[in-house]
């Protein structure tokens, strides 16, 4: 059977190593001048797609990113790692700040229809909002099976089946999933490769197609509104006590016993 | 806190075992000096708490803890310079501190003083991928830099075992498993910003220079690389970056004897094969690695090899090296092809120190040695050393960057046992003298620190030592820059 057409989501987020700071207006975090990179779980999803292509299970990898113009950098990295072409849905400013997983899932659903994708690989969650919703919502919109928190993925010999291991609270769950399907990648699925200089050069020639939500017929209006964003409370100094009696007295003082 | 400064000075100051002759007395960290430091840095950034001082008085070596009188946390070049001016004025020693992962006791405050913990200065200042360099502050470690530049197709190749501060690596002229292909810090530092003992700021290769090469002025950069904090405080380093190789594959080859393994590595180099990594592990090291890092290799002298480059180049190299290895009695290669397998292998290699101290003889210290000899003498020196260690009652695994003629022994010793310590010192000294006798050095990459000062004298002779003293005297006449290390003025 011919190879799978794979769609991979690549979200541009604040880099995992950055110390995030709350904005003075307490409505979000500082993003100006802060290093951004591809969401680490999306890097893992992309790596899995590239490995499927190397095994000739996948025939083509299409990467998608939704956000401001700088998302094109993220897409170029994805193309350098091994994707074939990219779609950038441009959303910026306040629209982007308020963008929710449901809107992104709707966009992905439109692209799946248009491109006739067989497999959507997403990171299990983004490290900025930690929503862990896009994959699940997309599967719902498409009425496709979903395999989330995947730590191992193999295409079975027969027609259109994936053998999957999921990381769940109780341990590992092995399931079989019919294609087409949505899969979300967990940390231990693989260790992503780095882009190399020659591949970065080649990636400059791969196409990035621009789209926008209006033309796609996708309503990106938010359903939630952020009330405030705050730092966690500063940890207060502890105090030492001399003996158990003093400990009990102090605990009573603060109403803990 | 201010009142307790004096108390701490009198009752709790530690001194190192070997006495250091004073070059005129140092000043003490009085309340007023503490206050001035607080004025410069902010109250939360000056500490005299004992646990914090002890933490900053030791590194990963066997050397005893020598806590400073205070630990300060500057966040900018200006703050470092002001601290230097203050300490210079008061004749108080200064010890720069990166990650504390050194192996020669370099951070011990043997004369007391102020430790400058530079971890708050942790920006990647700039990355120029088209020019293949990055500029970092002392709080940036080698893994942090590589994480930062992972999208650029470039990497910083120097990989000592620890995730060390890059500026600290410059101070000790560090090297790692990649040196056989990419060189050491000496070849890869382009420029340094250094705060001198009196607070002046020096740019060693020129104020704004990032040229790939230069003939301008003295090579001050390589004066400071390897100076172990005795000439100034490194506050920024510009380092070379290299392209991430297209293809990489690692292999493990087992040998019937130490000689066979080391001969193989020498043959590989003499055949001109641009091998990326060639690391030797003796049977004791492999045994420890199997336990600690969950590997499963035959317990005998082994080479860990890595081949990188284009796909064609890698194929060529593996074939050529395979023939050499088999010619020396080596086993079939066990391959580590995927990213994960290779990472596991090299992680195990980097964990050698911890594997040794935890699995071979838990509860004791590891005394590391670090000799480096000309490649042509490596087989002879390593096999002789192995004989000495096998004959000793102490357990001592050996590991080596054989591609550079550099190997390490980890002599597991109980520091409280006088006989064991005497035996260890004797073994280490014998090893170093043997290396020096064949044109080698007593330290290939760890530095001189506190323990090899007499060996340095042997290696350089009186004129060499005198010239070093003259340079030290002109840059640090008060001997406040990390006193008691490398040599005594």
């Amino acid at each position: 059977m011919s190879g799978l057409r794979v769609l991979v989501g690549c979200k541009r987020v604040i880099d995992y190593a950055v110390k995030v700071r709350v904005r003075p207006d307490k409505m979000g975090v500082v993003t100006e001048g802060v290093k951004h990179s591809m969401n680490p779980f999306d890097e893992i999803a992309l790596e899995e797609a590239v490995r499927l292509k190397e095994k000739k299970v996948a025939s083509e990898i299409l990467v998608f990113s939704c956000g401001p113009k700088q998302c094109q950098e993220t897409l170029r990295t994805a193309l350098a790692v091994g994707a074939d072409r990219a779609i950038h849905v441009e959303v910026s400013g306040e629209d982007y700040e308020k963008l929710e997983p449901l809107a992104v899932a709707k966009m992905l659903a439109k692209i799946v229809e248009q491109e006739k994708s067989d497999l959507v690989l997403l990171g299990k969650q983004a490290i900025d909002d930690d929503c862990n919703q896009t994959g699940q919502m997309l599967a719902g919109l498409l009425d496709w099976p979903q395999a989330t928190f995947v730590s191992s993925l193999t295409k079975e010999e027969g027609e259109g089946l994936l053998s999957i291991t999921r990381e769940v609270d109780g341990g590992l769950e092995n399931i079989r999933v019919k294609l087409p399907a949505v899969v979300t990648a967990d940390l231990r699925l693989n260790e992503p490769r780095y882009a190399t200089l020659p591949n970065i050069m080649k990636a400059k020639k791969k196409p990035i197609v621009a789209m926008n939500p209006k033309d796609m017929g996708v309503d990106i209006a938010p359903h939630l509104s952020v009330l405030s964003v705050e730092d966690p409370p500063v940890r207060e100094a502890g105090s030492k006590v001399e003996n158990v009696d003093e400990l009990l007295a102090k605990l009573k003082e603060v109403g803990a016993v | 806190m201010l009142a307790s400064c004096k108390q701490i000075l009198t009752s709790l100051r530690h001194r190192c075992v070997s006495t250091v002759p004073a070059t005129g007395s140092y000043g003490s960290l009085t309340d007023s000096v503490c206050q001035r430091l607080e004025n410069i840095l902010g109250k939360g950034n000056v500490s005299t708490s004992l646990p914090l001082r002890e933490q900053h008085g030791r590194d990963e070596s066997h050397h005893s803890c020598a806590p400073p009188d205070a630990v300060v946390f500057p966040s900018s070049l200006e703050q470092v310079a002001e601290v230097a001016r203050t300490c210079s004025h008061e004749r108080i020693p200064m010890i720069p501190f990166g990650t504390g992962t050194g192996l020669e006791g370099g951070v011990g405050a043997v004369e007391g003083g102020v430790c400058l913990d530079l971890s708050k200065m942790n920006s990647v200042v700039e990355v120029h991928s088209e020019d293949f360099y990055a500029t970092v502050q002392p709080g940036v470690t080698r893994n942090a830099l590589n994480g930062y530049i992972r999208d650029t197709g470039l990497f910083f190749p120097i990989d000592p075992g620890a995730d060390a501060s890059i500026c600290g690596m410059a101070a000790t002229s560090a090297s790692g498993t990649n040196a056989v292909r990419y060189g050491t810090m000496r070849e890869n530092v382009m420029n340094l910003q250094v705060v001198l003992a009196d607070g002046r700021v020096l740019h060693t290769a020129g104020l704004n220079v990032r040229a790939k090469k230069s003939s301008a002025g003295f090579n001050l950069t390589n004066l400071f690389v390897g100076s172990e904090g005795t000439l100034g405080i490194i506050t920024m380093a510009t380092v070379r970056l290299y392209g991430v190789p297209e293809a990489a594959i690692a292999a493990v080859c087992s040998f019937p004897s130490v000689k066979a393994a080391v001969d193989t590595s020498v043959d590989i180099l003499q055949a001109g094969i641009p091998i990326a990594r060639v690391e030797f592990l003796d049977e004791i090291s492999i045994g420890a690695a199997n336990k600690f890092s969950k590997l499963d290799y035959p317990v005998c002298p082994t080479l860990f090899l890595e081949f990188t480059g284009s796909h064609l180049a890698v194929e060529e190299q593996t074939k050529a090296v395979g023939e050499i290895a088999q010619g020396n009695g080596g086993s079939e290669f066990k391959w580590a092809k995927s990213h994960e397998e290779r990472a596991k292998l090299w992680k195990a290699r980097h964990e050698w120190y911890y594997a040794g101290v935890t699995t071979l003889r838990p509860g004791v210290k590891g005394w590391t040695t670090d000799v480096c000899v000309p490649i042509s003498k490596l087989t002879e020196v390593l096999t002789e050393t192995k004989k000495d260690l096998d004959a000793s009652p102490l357990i001592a695994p050996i590991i080596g960057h054989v591609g550079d003629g550099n190997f390490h022994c980890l002599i597991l010793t109980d520091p409280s046992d006088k006989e064991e310590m005497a035996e260890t010192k004797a073994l280490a000294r014998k090893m170093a003298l043997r290396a020096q006798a064949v044109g080698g050095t007593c330290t290939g990459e760890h530095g001189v620190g506190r323990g090899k000062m007499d060996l340095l004298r042997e290696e350089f002779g009186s004129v060499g030592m005198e010239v070093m003293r003259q340079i030290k005297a002109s840059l640090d006449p008060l001997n406040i820059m990390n006193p008691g290390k490398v040599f005594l003025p």
Side-chain angles (χ1 to χ4, degrees):
Chain A
M1 80 164 255
S2 61
L4 302 173
R5 280 171 298 264
V6 181
L7 172 61
V8 182
C10 298
K11 186 178 184 186
R12 177 177 177 267
V13 297
I14 295 178
D15 187 86
Y16 71 83
V18 167
K19 192 149 191 245
V20 174
R21 285 174 306 133
V22 174
R23 273 192 345 228
D25 68 358
K26 294 207 163 177
M27 289 298 287
V29 298
V30 177
T31 54
E32 275 291 311
V34 166
K35 181 167 204 273
H36 283 64
S37 48
M38 194 187 305
N39 182 37
F41 294 107
D42 299 353
E43 287 180 327
I44 294 173
L46 175 62
E47 171 66 26
E48 199 60 23
V50 175
R51 291 187 187 191
L52 287 173
K53 191 158 165 231
E54 284 171 346
K55 289 185 207 150
K56 307 223 193 293
V57 168
S59 60
E60 189 201 50
I61 303 172
L62 169 61
V63 285
F64 155 92
S65 194
C66 173
K69 224 193 316 274
Q70 296 95 317
C71 290
Q72 293 193 20
E73 288 160 23
T74 312
L75 290 169
R76 286 279 166 221
T77 304
L79 293 167
V81 166
D84 300 297
R85 44 190 190 97
I87 290 178
H88 173 216
V89 178
E90 186 158 354
V91 175
S92 45
E94 238 191 86
D95 284 340
Y96 182 61
E97 266 177 49
K98 299 192 170 148
L99 194 67
E100 290 166 12
L102 182 57
V104 176
K106 288 180 193 168
M107 290 178 208
L108 284 165
K110 290 274 172 176
I111 293 173
V112 163
E113 267 173 45
Q114 174 189 302
E115 298 287 335
K116 312 230 186 309
S117 313
D118 302 303
L119 173 62
V120 181
L121 276 166
L122 304 174
K124 72 170 180 180
Q125 67 197 56
I127 61 171
D128 50 7
D129 55 23
D130 278 352
C131 281
N132 185 356
Q133 296 167 8
T134 308
Q136 293 88 329
M137 286 175 167
L138 175 61
L141 291 170
L142 293 171
D143 196 23
W144 279 12
Q146 59 180 269
T148 54
F149 316 121
V150 170
S151 63
S152 109
L153 185 159
T154 338
K155 169 107 183 8
E156 288 192 5
E157 275 305 313
E159 282 289 305
L161 288 172
L162 293 176
S163 194
I164 292 219
T165 304
R166 302 178 61 224
E167 295 201 356
V168 297
D169 287 347
L172 299 173
E173 180 186 58
N174 294 324
I175 59 174
R176 182 176 285 125
V177 170
K178 272 193 213 156
L179 289 165
V182 175
V183 169
T184 75
D186 207 325
L187 193 62
R188 278 158 283 272
L189 177 57
N190 60 47
E191 209 181 301
R193 70 195 63 195
Y194 296 120
T196 62
L197 292 177
N199 288 344
I200 291 174
M201 281 285 135
K202 283 186 215 154
K204 292 188 179 162
K205 302 210 179 90
K206 294 184 183 176
I208 300 183
V209 169
M211 296 170 74
N212 69 65
K214 232 152 123 234
D215 295 341
M216 292 167 82
V218 171
D219 174 17
I220 61 168
H223 302 259
L224 303 170
S225 65
V226 170
L227 298 179
S228 77
V229 175
E230 317 230 347
D231 274 308
V234 176
R235 191 178 170 192
E236 283 172 25
S239 61
K240 281 191 175 164
V241 293
E242 291 299 309
N243 52 50
V244 177
D245 291 325
E246 202 186 324
L247 174 62
L248 287 174
K250 288 239 153 127
L251 287 173
K252 285 193 181 141
E253 225 177 276
V254 297
V257 292
Chain B
M1 191 228 70
L2 300 177
S4 57
C5 271
K6 279 186 193 150
Q7 196 184 9
I8 286 162
L9 287 178
T10 47
S11 64
L12 292 170
R13 174 181 282 177
H14 290 231
R15 293 220 172 243
C16 75
V17 172
S18 62
T19 47
V20 173
T23 49
S25 56
Y26 289 113
S28 46
L29 199 67
T30 59
D31 290 351
S32 108
V33 177
C34 269
Q35 184 62 69
R36 270 155 63 199
L37 292 175
E38 285 189 353
N39 293 342
I40 299 167
L41 302 165
K43 199 172 159 115
N45 292 313
V46 177
S47 176
T48 51
S49 104
L50 181 59
L52 204 60
R53 292 189 295 122
E54 283 183 340
Q55 182 196 33
H56 287 79
R58 62 163 66 91
D59 58 16
E60 308 236 317
S61 71
H62 60 272
H63 288 282
S64 58
C65 176
D69 300 310
V71 182
V72 301
F73 296 85
S75 337
S76 70
L77 171 65
E78 293 68 36
Q79 286 185 350
V80 175
E82 274 226 59
V83 170
R85 277 192 287 273
T86 306
C87 289
S88 171
H89 189 259
E90 301 295 325
R91 302 193 70 142
I92 292 173
M94 289 187 283
I95 301 100
F97 186 100
T99 45
T101 47
L103 292 165
E104 295 292 337
V107 295
V110 299
E111 293 289 348
V114 172
C115 170
L116 287 87
D117 180 322
L118 301 163
S119 55
K120 284 197 166 172
M121 296 172 62
N122 64 355
S123 318
V124 175
V125 176
E126 57 181 4
V127 174
H128 277 254
S129 28
E130 330 78 60
D131 288 321
F132 292 79
Y133 74 79
T135 301
V136 297
Q137 289 188 322
V140 177
T141 64
R142 61 179 184 86
N143 283 340
L145 176 59
N146 279 328
Y148 191 97
I149 59 177
R150 68 192 187 278
D151 294 340
T152 59
L154 299 174
F155 80 120
F156 174 68
I158 304 177
D159 62 332
D163 184 18
S165 144
I166 292 175
C167 292
M169 286 166 60
T172 53
S173 189
S175 131
T177 61
N178 276 310
V180 62
R181 190 53 118 49
Y182 296 100
T184 69
M185 289 303 275
R186 251 178 220 192
E187 291 82 44
N188 289 292
V189 177
M190 294 165 83
N191 203 341
L192 291 173
Q193 178 192 75
V194 182
V195 172
L196 299 172
D198 56 14
R200 288 179 297 161
V201 177
L202 167 68
H203 291 87
T204 57
L207 292 171
N208 201 22
V209 178
R210 313 275 190 257
K212 240 179 126 183
K213 61 186 195 189
S214 167
S215 283
F218 292 164
N219 187 349
L220 298 175
T221 305
N222 275 357
L223 173 63
F224 283 87
V225 172
S227 60
E228 303 185 51
T230 60
L231 296 178
I233 303 155
I234 298 174
T235 48
M236 208 159 75
T238 300
V239 295
R240 286 187 211 285
L241 302 175
Y242 295 82
V244 171
E246 236 186 277
I249 192 171
V252 177
C253 188
S254 311
F255 290 85
S257 67
V258 169
K259 181 174 188 306
V262 183
D263 276 345
T264 302
S265 63
V266 174
D267 290 346
I268 292 171
L269 292 164
Q270 290 181 341
I273 297 169
I275 193 141
R277 283 160 145 156
V278 50
E279 294 285 308
F280 168 76
L281 293 85
D282 75 348
E283 73 285 0
I284 308 178
S285 296
I286 278 278
N290 280 346
K291 273 202 207 115
F292 186 84
S293 311
K294 316 228 187 312
L295 302 179
D296 186 24
Y297 294 112
V299 180
C300 52
T302 306
L303 287 182
F304 281 10
L305 302 152
E306 186 161 277
F307 311 91
T308 66
S310 70
H311 291 278
L312 281 175
V314 169
E315 254 183 68
E316 238 175 49
Q317 287 172 35
T318 51
K319 192 155 170 285
V321 173
E323 282 168 16
I324 295 176
Q326 309 231 303
N328 280 308
S331 68
E332 290 277 318
F333 282 1
K334 282 212 173 123
W335 298 101
K337 290 189 178 156
S338 73
H339 194 136
E340 286 87 356
E341 288 172 336
R342 276 179 45 237
K344 187 173 179 202
L345 191 69
W346 296 111
K347 183 164 181 282
R349 165 59 188 84
H350 281 134
E351 288 170 343
W352 170 74
Y353 179 86
Y354 304 110
V357 298
T358 58
T359 67
L360 293 174
R361 206 184 150 191
V364 303
K365 291 255 163 173
W367 181 301
T368 42
T369 68
D370 173 38
V371 301
C372 185
V373 299
I375 314 278
S376 56
K377 302 287 181 192
L378 181 64
T379 306
E380 170 197 321
V381 171
L382 219 162
T383 45
E384 290 296 304
T385 301
K386 178 81 174 141
K387 270 202 207 115
D388 285 345
L389 295 178
D390 284 342
S392 162
L394 298 172
I395 304 174
I398 305 182
I399 206 164
H401 308 295
V402 288
D404 310 317
N406 180 207
F407 65 92
H408 305 296
C409 308
L410 180 66
I411 309 175
L412 295 166
T413 319
D414 180 356
S416 61
D417 181 325
K418 285 207 174 71
E419 270 177 38
E420 285 198 9
M421 282 302 275
E423 166 80 354
T424 300
K425 283 185 194 164
L427 281 169
R429 190 179 165 76
K430 192 172 177 196
M431 227 179 281
L433 292 174
R434 176 184 288 131
Q436 287 175 338
V438 297
T441 169
C442 63
T443 171
E445 53 184 20
H446 294 171
V448 172
R450 277 144 81 178
K452 294 183 179 164
M453 296 198 276
D454 52 343
L455 291 166
L456 185 69
R457 282 196 293 272
E458 303 272 349
E459 206 161 298
F460 273 78
S462 55
V463 177
M465 294 312 301
E466 223 181 273
V467 172
M468 286 198 261
R469 287 197 172 95
Q470 287 176 294
I471 295 172
K472 166 81 168 169
S474 69
L475 290 176
D476 179 23
L478 303 174
N479 190 26
I480 56 172
M481 284 313 313
N482 207 8
K485 317 292 161 33
V486 190
F487 58 83
L488 302 176

